[in-house]
Amino acid sequence: MAKADGLLKSIQPEGAPELQPPPVPALEFLQSFEEEKKKSARTDYWLQPEIVVKIITKKLGEKYHKKKAIVKEVINKYTAVVKLIDSGDKLKLDQTHLETVIPAPGKKVLVLNGGYRGNEATLVCISEKTFSATILIESGPLKGRQVEGVPYEDISKQA
């Protein structure tokens, strides 16, 4: 742009393609990417293979109630084949009969729901007052990002 007589005049020749705005800086891109992730629709299913879960149904009897298991296979998004950690028994259960397992800080978790779904992370700390955790993302485009306020039900210990 050239300044002439107090007005800005374009020095671009007539018929030339219009100049494109400069590319968005990386930080702005990541910030907008993260905002979109937060807005992304949550799903009503959360089961993923190779996570640790706890059986919470009493319908199977005391033998299985409150026992921990590893998800071996996910069937139609809502059902899982789980293998009990202590006995090795295999069961086919709906996700309503299971709950996530929160490990000790410093251990690996998998994000099961929300904008970071599918990413591996490290549990930094938990907040018992808000039933949430702070995690450090270990995979994906936002690796190294610390995320606070992640609900317990959105993460589970990795097998």
Side-chain angles (χ1 to χ4, degrees), residues 1-86:
M1 299 278 194
K3 191 168 182 169
D5 299 327
L7 299 172
L8 290 177
K9 284 173 93 177
S10 175
I11 57 172
Q12 186 174 349
E14 277 190 35
E18 209 173 295
L19 294 174
Q20 296 295 318
V24 178
L27 180 61
E28 286 180 33
F29 172 75
L30 285 175
Q31 287 172 338
S32 66
F33 183 74
E34 183 165 341
E35 287 304 313
E36 284 181 38
K37 278 194 154 289
K38 285 181 183 175
K39 293 176 189 171
S40 69
R42 295 176 53 82
T43 60
D44 60 348
Y45 56 91
W46 53 267
L47 288 170
Q48 296 281 335
E50 298 304 313
I51 60 168
V52 179
V53 293
K54 187 187 288 185
I55 299 170
I56 56 171
T57 184
K58 293 180 180 176
K59 293 178 182 176
L60 299 172
E62 288 300 313
K63 180 179 179 184
Y64 299 120
H65 187 243
K66 292 190 177 181
K67 298 289 186 215
K68 290 182 182 174
I70 297 171
V71 175
K72 290 298 179 185
E73 182 185 354
V74 178
I75 304 163
N76 72 26
K77 298 180 185 177
Y78 302 95
T79 307
V81 174
V82 299
K83 183 177 180 181
L84 270 72
I85 293 174
D86 58 358

Coordinates of all heavy atoms in Angstrom, one line a residue, residues 1-86:
M1 N 0.8 -1.2 0.0 CA 0.0 0.0 0.0 C 0.9 1.3 0.0 O 1.9 1.3 0.7 CB -0.9 0.0 1.2 CG -1.8 -1.1 1.4 SD -3.2 -0.8 0.4 CE -4.4 -2.0 1.0
A2 N 0.5 2.2 -0.8 CA 1.3 3.5 -0.9 C 0.4 4.6 -0.4 O -0.8 4.6 -0.7 CB 1.8 3.7 -2.3
K3 N 0.9 5.6 0.3 CA 0.1 6.7 0.8 C 0.2 7.8 -0.2 O 1.3 8.3 -0.5 CB 0.6 7.0 2.2 CG -0.4 8.0 2.9 CD 0.0 8.1 4.3 CE -1.0 9.0 4.9 NZ -1.0 9.0 6.3
A4 N -0.9 8.3 -0.7 CA -0.9 9.4 -1.6 C -2.0 10.3 -1.3 O -3.2 9.9 -1.2 CB -1.0 8.9 -3.1
D5 N -1.7 11.6 -1.1 CA -2.7 12.6 -0.8 C -3.5 12.3 0.5 O -4.8 12.5 0.5 CB -3.6 12.9 -2.0 CG -2.8 13.4 -3.2 OD1 -1.8 14.1 -3.0 OD2 -3.3 13.1 -4.3
G6 N -3.0 11.6 1.5 CA -3.7 11.3 2.7 C -4.6 10.1 2.5 O -5.3 9.7 3.5
L7 N -4.6 9.5 1.3 CA -5.4 8.3 1.1 C -4.5 7.1 0.8 O -3.4 7.2 0.3 CB -6.4 8.5 -0.1 CG -7.4 9.6 0.0 CD1 -8.1 9.8 -1.3 CD2 -8.4 9.3 1.1
L8 N -5.0 5.9 1.2 CA -4.2 4.7 0.9 C -4.6 4.2 -0.5 O -5.8 4.1 -0.8 CB -4.5 3.6 2.0 CG -4.0 3.9 3.4 CD1 -4.4 2.7 4.3 CD2 -2.5 3.9 3.3
K9 N -3.6 4.0 -1.3 CA -3.9 3.5 -2.6 C -3.2 2.2 -2.8 O -2.1 2.0 -2.3 CB -3.3 4.4 -3.7 CG -4.2 5.7 -3.9 CD -3.5 6.6 -4.8 CE -3.9 6.4 -6.3 NZ -3.3 7.4 -7.2
S10 N -3.8 1.2 -3.4 CA -3.2 -0.1 -3.7 C -2.2 0.1 -4.8 O -2.5 0.7 -5.8 CB -4.3 -1.1 -4.0 OG -3.7 -2.3 -4.4
I11 N -1.0 -0.6 -4.6 CA 0.0 -0.6 -5.7 C -0.1 -1.9 -6.5 O 0.7 -2.1 -7.3 CB 1.4 -0.3 -5.1 CG1 1.7 -1.4 -4.1 CG2 1.5 1.1 -4.6 CD1 3.2 -1.4 -3.6
Q12 N -1.1 -2.6 -6.2 CA -1.3 -3.9 -6.9 C -1.9 -3.6 -8.3 O -2.8 -2.8 -8.4 CB -2.3 -4.7 -6.1 CG -2.5 -6.1 -6.7 CD -3.4 -6.9 -5.7 OE1 -3.7 -6.5 -4.6 NE2 -3.8 -8.1 -6.2
P13 N -1.3 -4.2 -9.4 CA -1.8 -3.9 -10.7 C -3.2 -4.4 -10.9 O -3.6 -5.4 -10.3 CB -0.8 -4.6 -11.6 CG 0.1 -5.4 -10.8 CD -0.2 -5.0 -9.3
E14 N -4.0 -3.7 -11.8 CA -5.3 -4.1 -12.1 C -5.4 -5.5 -12.7 O -4.5 -5.9 -13.5 CB -6.0 -3.1 -13.0 CG -6.6 -1.9 -12.3 CD -7.4 -1.1 -13.2 OE1 -8.1 -1.6 -14.1 OE2 -7.4 0.1 -13.0
G15 N -6.3 -6.3 -12.3 CA -6.5 -7.7 -12.8 C -5.6 -8.7 -12.1 O -5.7 -9.9 -12.4
A16 N -4.7 -8.3 -11.2 CA -3.9 -9.3 -10.5 C -4.7 -9.9 -9.4 O -5.7 -9.3 -8.9 CB -2.7 -8.6 -9.9
P17 N -4.4 -11.2 -9.1 CA -5.2 -11.8 -8.0 C -5.1 -11.0 -6.7 O -4.0 -10.4 -6.4 CB -4.6 -13.2 -7.9 CG -3.3 -13.1 -8.6 CD -3.3 -12.0 -9.5
E18 N -6.1 -11.1 -5.9 CA -6.1 -10.4 -4.6 C -5.1 -11.0 -3.7 O -5.0 -12.2 -3.6 CB -7.5 -10.4 -4.0 CG -7.8 -9.2 -3.2 CD -9.3 -9.2 -2.7 OE1 -10.2 -9.1 -3.6 OE2 -9.5 -9.4 -1.5
L19 N -4.4 -10.2 -2.9 CA -3.5 -10.7 -2.0 C -4.2 -11.4 -0.8 O -5.2 -11.0 -0.4 CB -2.6 -9.6 -1.4 CG -1.7 -8.9 -2.4 CD1 -1.0 -7.7 -1.7 CD2 -0.7 -9.8 -2.9
Q20 N -3.6 -12.5 -0.4 CA -4.2 -13.3 0.7 C -3.7 -12.8 2.0 O -2.6 -12.3 2.1 CB -3.8 -14.8 0.6 CG -4.3 -15.5 -0.7 CD -5.9 -15.6 -0.7 OE1 -6.5 -15.8 0.4 NE2 -6.5 -15.3 -1.8
P21 N -4.5 -12.9 3.1 CA -4.0 -12.4 4.4 C -2.9 -13.4 4.9 O -2.8 -14.5 4.4 CB -5.3 -12.5 5.3 CG -6.2 -13.5 4.6 CD -5.9 -13.4 3.1
P22 N -2.1 -12.9 5.7 CA -1.0 -13.7 6.2 C -1.5 -15.0 6.9 O -2.6 -14.9 7.5 CB -0.2 -12.8 7.2 CG -1.1 -11.7 7.6 CD -2.1 -11.6 6.4
P23 N -0.8 -16.1 7.0 CA -1.3 -17.3 7.6 C -1.5 -17.0 9.1 O -0.8 -16.2 9.7 CB -0.2 -18.3 7.4 CG 1.0 -17.6 6.9 CD 0.5 -16.2 6.4
V24 N -2.4 -17.8 9.7 CA -2.7 -17.6 11.1 C -1.5 -18.2 11.9 O -1.0 -19.3 11.7 CB -4.0 -18.4 11.5 CG1 -4.3 -18.3 13.0 CG2 -5.1 -17.9 10.7
P25 N -1.0 -17.4 12.9 CA 0.1 -17.9 13.7 C -0.3 -19.2 14.4 O -1.4 -19.5 14.7 CB 0.3 -16.8 14.7 CG -0.3 -15.6 14.1 CD -1.4 -16.1 13.3
A26 N 0.7 -20.1 14.7 CA 0.5 -21.4 15.3 C -0.2 -21.3 16.6 O -1.1 -22.1 16.8 CB 1.9 -22.1 15.5
L27 N 0.1 -20.4 17.4 CA -0.6 -20.3 18.7 C -2.1 -20.0 18.6 O -2.9 -20.7 19.2 CB 0.0 -19.2 19.6 CG -0.6 -19.0 21.0 CD1 -0.4 -20.3 21.8 CD2 0.1 -17.8 21.7
E28 N -2.4 -19.1 17.7 CA -3.9 -18.8 17.4 C -4.6 -20.0 16.9 O -5.7 -20.3 17.2 CB -4.0 -17.6 16.5 CG -3.7 -16.3 17.1 CD -3.9 -15.2 16.1 OE1 -4.8 -15.3 15.2 OE2 -3.1 -14.2 16.2
F29 N -3.9 -20.8 16.0 CA -4.4 -22.0 15.4 C -4.7 -23.0 16.5 O -5.8 -23.6 16.5 CB -3.5 -22.6 14.3 CG -4.0 -23.9 13.8 CD1 -5.0 -24.0 12.9 CD2 -3.4 -25.1 14.3 CE1 -5.4 -25.3 12.5 CE2 -3.8 -26.3 13.8 CZ -4.8 -26.4 12.9
L30 N -3.8 -23.2 17.4 CA -4.0 -24.2 18.4 C -5.1 -23.8 19.4 O -5.9 -24.6 19.8 CB -2.7 -24.4 19.2 CG -1.6 -25.3 18.5 CD1 -0.3 -25.3 19.3 CD2 -2.1 -26.7 18.2
Q31 N -5.2 -22.5 19.7 CA -6.2 -22.0 20.5 C -7.6 -22.2 19.9 O -8.5 -22.7 20.6 CB -6.0 -20.5 20.9 CG -4.9 -20.3 21.8 CD -4.5 -18.8 22.0 OE1 -4.9 -18.0 21.2 NE2 -3.9 -18.5 23.1
S32 N -7.7 -21.9 18.6 CA -9.0 -22.2 18.0 C -9.3 -23.6 17.9 O -10.5 -24.1 18.0 CB -9.0 -21.5 16.6 OG -8.2 -22.1 15.7
F33 N -8.3 -24.5 17.6 CA -8.4 -25.9 17.6 C -8.9 -26.4 18.9 O -9.8 -27.3 18.9 CB -7.1 -26.5 17.2 CG -7.1 -28.0 17.0 CD1 -7.7 -28.6 15.9 CD2 -6.6 -28.9 18.0 CE1 -7.7 -30.0 15.7 CE2 -6.6 -30.2 17.8 CZ -7.2 -30.8 16.7
E34 N -8.4 -25.9 20.0 CA -8.8 -26.4 21.3 C -10.2 -26.0 21.6 O -11.0 -26.8 22.2 CB -7.8 -25.9 22.4 CG -8.2 -26.4 23.8 CD -7.1 -26.2 24.8 OE1 -6.0 -26.0 24.4 OE2 -7.5 -26.3 26.0
E35 N -10.6 -24.8 21.2 CA -12.0 -24.3 21.5 C -12.9 -25.2 20.7 O -14.0 -25.6 21.2 CB -12.1 -22.9 21.0 CG -11.5 -21.9 22.0 CD -11.9 -22.0 23.4 OE1 -13.2 -22.1 23.6 OE2 -11.1 -22.0 24.3
E36 N -12.6 -25.6 19.5 CA -13.5 -26.5 18.7 C -13.6 -27.8 19.4 O -14.6 -28.4 19.4 CB -13.0 -26.6 17.3 CG -13.2 -25.4 16.4 CD -12.7 -25.6 15.0 OE1 -12.9 -26.7 14.5 OE2 -12.2 -24.6 14.4
K37 N -12.5 -28.3 19.9 CA -12.5 -29.6 20.6 C -13.4 -29.6 21.8 O -14.1 -30.5 22.1 CB -11.0 -30.0 21.0 CG -10.2 -30.6 19.9 CD -9.0 -31.3 20.5 CE -8.5 -32.4 19.7 NZ -9.3 -33.6 19.6
K38 N -13.3 -28.5 22.6 CA -14.2 -28.4 23.8 C -15.7 -28.4 23.4 O -16.5 -28.9 24.1 CB -13.9 -27.1 24.5 CG -12.6 -27.1 25.3 CD -12.4 -25.8 26.0 CE -11.0 -25.8 26.8 NZ -10.8 -24.6 27.4
K39 N -16.0 -27.8 22.2 CA -17.3 -27.7 21.8 C -17.8 -29.0 21.1 O -19.0 -29.2 20.9 CB -17.5 -26.6 20.8 CG -17.3 -25.2 21.4 CD -17.4 -24.1 20.3 CE -17.0 -22.8 20.8 NZ -16.9 -21.8 19.8
S40 N -16.9 -29.9 20.8 CA -17.2 -31.1 20.0 C -18.2 -31.9 20.8 O -18.2 -32.0 22.1 CB -16.0 -31.9 19.7 OG -15.5 -32.5 20.8
A41 N -19.1 -32.5 20.1 CA -20.2 -33.2 20.8 C -19.7 -34.4 21.6 O -18.9 -35.2 21.2 CB -21.2 -33.7 19.7
R42 N -20.2 -34.5 22.8 CA -19.9 -35.6 23.7 C -20.8 -36.8 23.2 O -21.9 -36.6 22.7 CB -20.2 -35.3 25.1 CG -19.3 -34.2 25.7 CD -19.6 -33.8 27.1 NE -19.7 -35.0 28.0 CZ -18.6 -35.5 28.6 NH1 -17.4 -35.0 28.3 NH2 -18.7 -36.6 29.4
T43 N -20.2 -38.0 23.4 CA -21.0 -39.2 23.0 C -21.6 -39.8 24.3 O -21.1 -39.6 25.4 CB -20.2 -40.1 22.2 OG1 -19.1 -40.6 23.0 CG2 -19.6 -39.5 20.9
D44 N -22.6 -40.7 24.1 CA -23.2 -41.4 25.2 C -22.5 -42.8 25.4 O -22.9 -43.5 26.2 CB -24.7 -41.5 25.1 CG -25.1 -42.3 23.8 OD1 -24.3 -42.5 22.9 OD2 -26.3 -42.6 23.7
Y45 N -21.5 -43.1 24.6 CA -20.7 -44.3 24.7 C -19.3 -43.9 25.0 O -18.8 -42.9 24.5 CB -20.8 -45.2 23.5 CG -20.4 -44.6 22.2 CD1 -19.1 -44.6 21.8 CD2 -21.3 -43.8 21.4 CE1 -18.7 -44.0 20.6 CE2 -20.9 -43.2 20.3 CZ -19.6 -43.3 19.8 OH -19.2 -42.7 18.7
W46 N -18.6 -44.8 25.8 CA -17.2 -44.4 26.2 C -16.3 -45.6 26.2 O -15.1 -45.4 26.4 CB -17.2 -43.7 27.6 CG -17.9 -44.5 28.7 CD1 -19.2 -44.4 29.0 CD2 -17.4 -45.6 29.5 NE1 -19.6 -45.3 30.0 CE2 -18.5 -46.0 30.3 CE3 -16.2 -46.2 29.6 CZ2 -18.3 -47.1 31.2 CZ3 -16.0 -47.2 30.5 CH2 -17.1 -47.6 31.3
L47 N -16.7 -46.8 26.0 CA -15.9 -48.0 26.1 C -14.8 -47.9 25.0 O -15.0 -47.6 23.9 CB -16.7 -49.2 25.9 CG -17.6 -49.6 27.1 CD1 -18.5 -50.7 26.7 CD2 -16.8 -50.0 28.3
Q48 N -13.6 -48.3 25.5 CA -12.4 -48.4 24.6 C -11.6 -49.7 25.0 O -11.6 -50.0 26.1 CB -11.5 -47.2 24.7 CG -12.1 -45.9 24.3 CD -12.1 -45.7 22.8 OE1 -11.3 -46.3 22.1 NE2 -13.0 -44.9 22.3
P49 N -11.0 -50.4 24.0 CA -10.2 -51.5 24.3 C -9.0 -51.2 25.2 O -8.5 -50.0 25.1 CB -9.8 -52.1 23.0 CG -10.6 -51.4 22.0 CD -11.1 -50.1 22.6
E50 N -8.5 -52.1 26.0 CA -7.3 -52.0 26.8 C -7.4 -50.9 27.9 O -6.4 -50.2 28.2 CB -6.1 -51.8 25.9 CG -5.8 -53.0 25.0 CD -5.7 -54.3 25.7 OE1 -5.0 -54.4 26.7 OE2 -6.3 -55.3 25.3
I51 N -8.6 -50.7 28.5 CA -8.7 -49.8 29.6 C -9.1 -50.7 30.8 O -9.7 -51.8 30.6 CB -9.7 -48.7 29.4 CG1 -11.1 -49.2 29.1 CG2 -9.2 -47.7 28.4 CD1 -12.2 -48.1 29.2
V52 N -8.9 -50.2 32.0 CA -9.3 -50.9 33.2 C -10.6 -50.3 33.7 O -10.8 -49.1 33.7 CB -8.2 -50.7 34.3 CG1 -8.7 -51.5 35.6 CG2 -6.9 -51.3 33.9
V53 N -11.6 -51.2 34.0 CA -12.9 -50.8 34.4 C -13.3 -51.6 35.7 O -12.6 -52.6 36.0 CB -14.0 -51.1 33.3 CG1 -13.8 -50.2 32.1 CG2 -14.0 -52.5 32.9
K54 N -14.3 -51.1 36.4 CA -14.8 -51.8 37.6 C -16.2 -52.2 37.4 O -17.0 -51.4 36.9 CB -14.7 -50.9 38.8 CG -15.0 -51.6 40.1 CD -15.1 -50.6 41.3 CE -13.7 -50.1 41.7 NZ -13.8 -49.3 42.9
I55 N -16.5 -53.4 37.7 CA -17.9 -54.0 37.6 C -18.7 -53.4 38.7 O -18.3 -53.6 39.9 CB -17.9 -55.5 37.5 CG1 -17.1 -56.0 36.3 CG2 -19.3 -56.0 37.5 CD1 -16.8 -57.5 36.3
I56 N -19.8 -52.7 38.4 CA -20.6 -52.1 39.5 C -22.0 -52.8 39.7 O -22.7 -52.4 40.6 CB -20.8 -50.6 39.3 CG1 -21.4 -50.3 37.9 CG2 -19.4 -49.9 39.5 CD1 -21.8 -48.8 37.7
T57 N -22.3 -53.7 38.8 CA -23.6 -54.3 38.9 C -23.6 -55.4 40.0 O -22.6 -56.1 40.1 CB -24.1 -54.9 37.6 OG1 -25.4 -55.4 37.8 CG2 -23.2 -56.0 37.1
K58 N -24.7 -55.5 40.7 CA -24.8 -56.6 41.8 C -25.5 -57.8 41.2 O -25.6 -58.8 41.8 CB -25.6 -56.0 43.0 CG -24.8 -55.0 43.7 CD -25.6 -54.5 44.9 CE -24.8 -53.4 45.7 NZ -25.6 -52.8 46.8
K59 N -26.1 -57.7 40.0 CA -26.9 -58.7 39.4 C -26.0 -60.0 39.1 O -26.6 -61.1 39.0 CB -27.5 -58.3 38.1 CG -28.6 -57.2 38.3 CD -29.1 -56.7 37.0 CE -30.2 -55.6 37.3 NZ -30.7 -55.1 36.0
L60 N -24.7 -59.9 39.0 CA -23.8 -61.0 38.8 C -23.4 -61.7 40.1 O -22.7 -62.7 40.0 CB -22.6 -60.6 38.0 CG -22.9 -60.0 36.6 CD1 -21.6 -59.4 36.0 CD2 -23.5 -61.0 35.7
G61 N -23.8 -61.1 41.2 CA -23.4 -61.7 42.5 C -22.2 -61.1 43.0 O -21.5 -60.3 42.4
E62 N -21.8 -61.4 44.3 CA -20.7 -60.9 45.0 C -19.4 -61.3 44.3 O -18.4 -60.6 44.5 CB -20.7 -61.3 46.4 CG -21.8 -60.6 47.3 CD -21.6 -59.1 47.3 OE1 -20.5 -58.6 47.5 OE2 -22.6 -58.4 47.1
K63 N -19.4 -62.4 43.6 CA -18.1 -62.8 43.0 C -17.5 -61.8 42.0 O -16.3 -61.7 41.9 CB -18.4 -64.1 42.2 CG -17.2 -64.7 41.5 CD -17.6 -66.0 40.8 CE -16.3 -66.6 40.1 NZ -16.6 -67.8 39.3
Y64 N -18.4 -61.0 41.3 CA -17.9 -60.0 40.4 C -18.1 -58.6 40.8 O -17.5 -57.7 40.2 CB -18.7 -60.3 39.0 CG -18.4 -61.6 38.4 CD1 -19.4 -62.5 38.2 CD2 -17.1 -62.0 38.1 CE1 -19.2 -63.8 37.6 CE2 -16.8 -63.3 37.6 CZ -17.9 -64.1 37.3 OH -17.6 -65.4 36.8
H65 N -19.0 -58.3 41.8 CA -19.3 -57.0 42.2 C -18.0 -56.3 42.7 O -17.2 -56.8 43.5 CB -20.3 -57.0 43.3 CG -20.8 -55.6 43.7 ND1 -20.6 -55.1 44.9 CD2 -21.4 -54.6 42.9 CE1 -21.1 -53.9 44.9 NE2 -21.6 -53.6 43.8
K66 N -17.7 -55.1 42.2 CA -16.6 -54.2 42.5 C -15.2 -54.8 42.1 O -14.2 -54.4 42.6 CB -16.6 -53.9 44.0 CG -17.7 -53.0 44.4 CD -17.6 -52.4 45.8 CE -18.7 -51.5 46.2 NZ -18.5 -50.9 47.5
K67 N -15.2 -55.8 41.2 CA -14.0 -56.4 40.7 C -13.5 -55.6 39.5 O -14.3 -55.1 38.7 CB -14.2 -57.8 40.3 CG -14.6 -58.7 41.4 CD -13.5 -58.9 42.4 CE -13.8 -59.9 43.5 NZ -13.3 -59.7 44.7
K68 N -12.2 -55.5 39.4 CA -11.6 -54.8 38.2 C -11.4 -55.7 37.1 O -11.1 -56.9 37.3 CB -10.3 -54.1 38.6 CG -10.5 -52.9 39.6 CD -9.2 -52.3 39.9 CE -9.5 -51.1 40.9 NZ -8.2 -50.5 41.4
A69 N -11.5 -55.2 35.9 CA -11.4 -56.0 34.7 C -10.7 -55.1 33.6 O -10.7 -53.9 33.7 CB -12.7 -56.5 34.2
I70 N -10.2 -55.8 32.5 CA -9.7 -55.1 31.4 C -10.6 -55.3 30.2 O -11.0 -56.4 29.9 CB -8.3 -55.6 31.1 CG1 -7.3 -55.4 32.2 CG2 -7.7 -55.0 29.8 CD1 -6.0 -56.0 32.1
V71 N -10.9 -54.2 29.5 CA -11.8 -54.3 28.3 C -10.9 -55.0 27.2 O -9.9 -54.5 26.8 CB -12.3 -53.0 27.9 CG1 -13.1 -53.1 26.6 CG2 -13.2 -52.4 28.9
K72 N -11.4 -56.1 26.7 CA -10.7 -56.8 25.7 C -11.2 -56.5 24.3 O -10.5 -56.5 23.3 CB -10.7 -58.4 25.9 CG -9.9 -58.8 27.1 CD -8.4 -58.4 26.8 CE -7.5 -58.8 28.0 NZ -6.1 -58.4 27.7
E73 N -12.6 -56.3 24.2 CA -13.2 -56.1 22.9 C -14.5 -55.2 23.2 O -15.2 -55.4 24.2 CB -13.6 -57.4 22.3 CG -14.3 -57.3 21.0 CD -14.7 -58.7 20.5 OE1 -14.5 -59.7 21.1 OE2 -15.4 -58.7 19.4
V74 N -14.7 -54.3 22.2 CA -15.9 -53.4 22.3 C -16.8 -53.9 21.2 O -16.4 -54.0 20.0 CB -15.6 -51.9 22.2 CG1 -16.9 -51.1 22.2 CG2 -14.6 -51.5 23.3
I75 N -18.1 -54.2 21.5 CA -19.1 -54.6 20.6 C -20.2 -53.6 20.5 O -20.7 -53.2 21.5 CB -19.7 -56.0 21.0 CG1 -18.6 -57.0 21.2 CG2 -20.7 -56.5 20.1 CD1 -19.0 -58.2 22.1
N76 N -20.5 -53.1 19.3 CA -21.5 -52.1 19.0 C -21.5 -50.9 20.0 O -22.6 -50.4 20.4 CB -22.9 -52.8 18.9 CG -23.5 -53.2 20.2 OD1 -23.2 -52.7 21.3 ND2 -24.4 -54.1 20.2
K77 N -20.4 -50.4 20.3 CA -20.2 -49.2 21.1 C -20.6 -49.2 22.5 O -19.9 -48.5 23.3 CB -20.9 -48.0 20.4 CG -20.4 -47.6 19.0 CD -21.2 -46.4 18.5 CE -20.9 -46.1 17.1 NZ -21.7 -45.1 16.5
Y78 N -21.6 -50.0 22.9 CA -22.1 -50.0 24.3 C -21.8 -51.2 25.1 O -22.0 -51.3 26.3 CB -23.6 -49.8 24.3 CG -24.0 -48.5 23.6 CD1 -24.3 -48.5 22.3 CD2 -24.0 -47.3 24.3 CE1 -24.7 -47.3 21.6 CE2 -24.3 -46.1 23.7 CZ -24.7 -46.1 22.3 OH -25.0 -44.9 21.7
T79 N -21.3 -52.3 24.5 CA -21.1 -53.6 25.1 C -19.6 -53.9 25.0 O -18.9 -53.7 24.0 CB -21.9 -54.7 24.5 OG1 -23.3 -54.2 24.4 CG2 -21.8 -56.0 25.2
A80 N -19.1 -54.6 26.1 CA -17.7 -55.0 26.1 C -17.5 -56.4 26.6 O -18.2 -56.8 27.4 CB -16.9 -54.0 27.0
V81 N -16.5 -57.0 26.0 CA -16.0 -58.3 26.6 C -14.9 -57.9 27.5 O -13.9 -57.3 27.1 CB -15.5 -59.3 25.5 CG1 -14.9 -60.5 26.1 CG2 -16.7 -59.6 24.6
V82 N -15.0 -58.2 28.8 CA -14.0 -57.9 29.8 C -13.4 -59.1 30.4 O -14.1 -60.2 30.5 CB -14.6 -56.9 30.9 CG1 -15.1 -55.6 30.4 CG2 -15.7 -57.6 31.7
K83 N -12.1 -59.0 30.8 CA -11.5 -60.1 31.5 C -11.1 -59.7 32.9 O -10.4 -58.7 33.0 CB -10.2 -60.5 30.7 CG -9.5 -61.7 31.2 CD -8.3 -62.1 30.3 CE -7.6 -63.3 30.9 NZ -6.4 -63.6 30.1
L84 N -11.6 -60.4 33.9 CA -11.3 -60.0 35.2 C -9.8 -60.1 35.5 O -9.1 -61.1 35.1 CB -12.1 -60.9 36.2 CG -13.4 -60.3 36.6 CD1 -14.4 -60.4 35.4 CD2 -14.0 -60.9 37.8
I85 N -9.2 -59.2 36.2 CA -7.8 -59.1 36.5 C -7.4 -60.3 37.5 O -6.4 -60.9 37.2 CB -7.4 -57.8 37.1 CG1 -7.5 -56.7 36.0 CG2 -6.0 -57.8 37.6 CD1 -7.3 -55.3 36.4
D86 N -8.2 -60.5 38.5 CA -7.8 -61.5 39.5 C -8.1 -62.9 39.1 O -7.3 -63.8 39.3 CB -8.4 -61.2 40.9 CG -9.9 -61.1 40.9 OD1 -10.5 -61.3 39.8 OD2 -10.5 -60.9 42.0

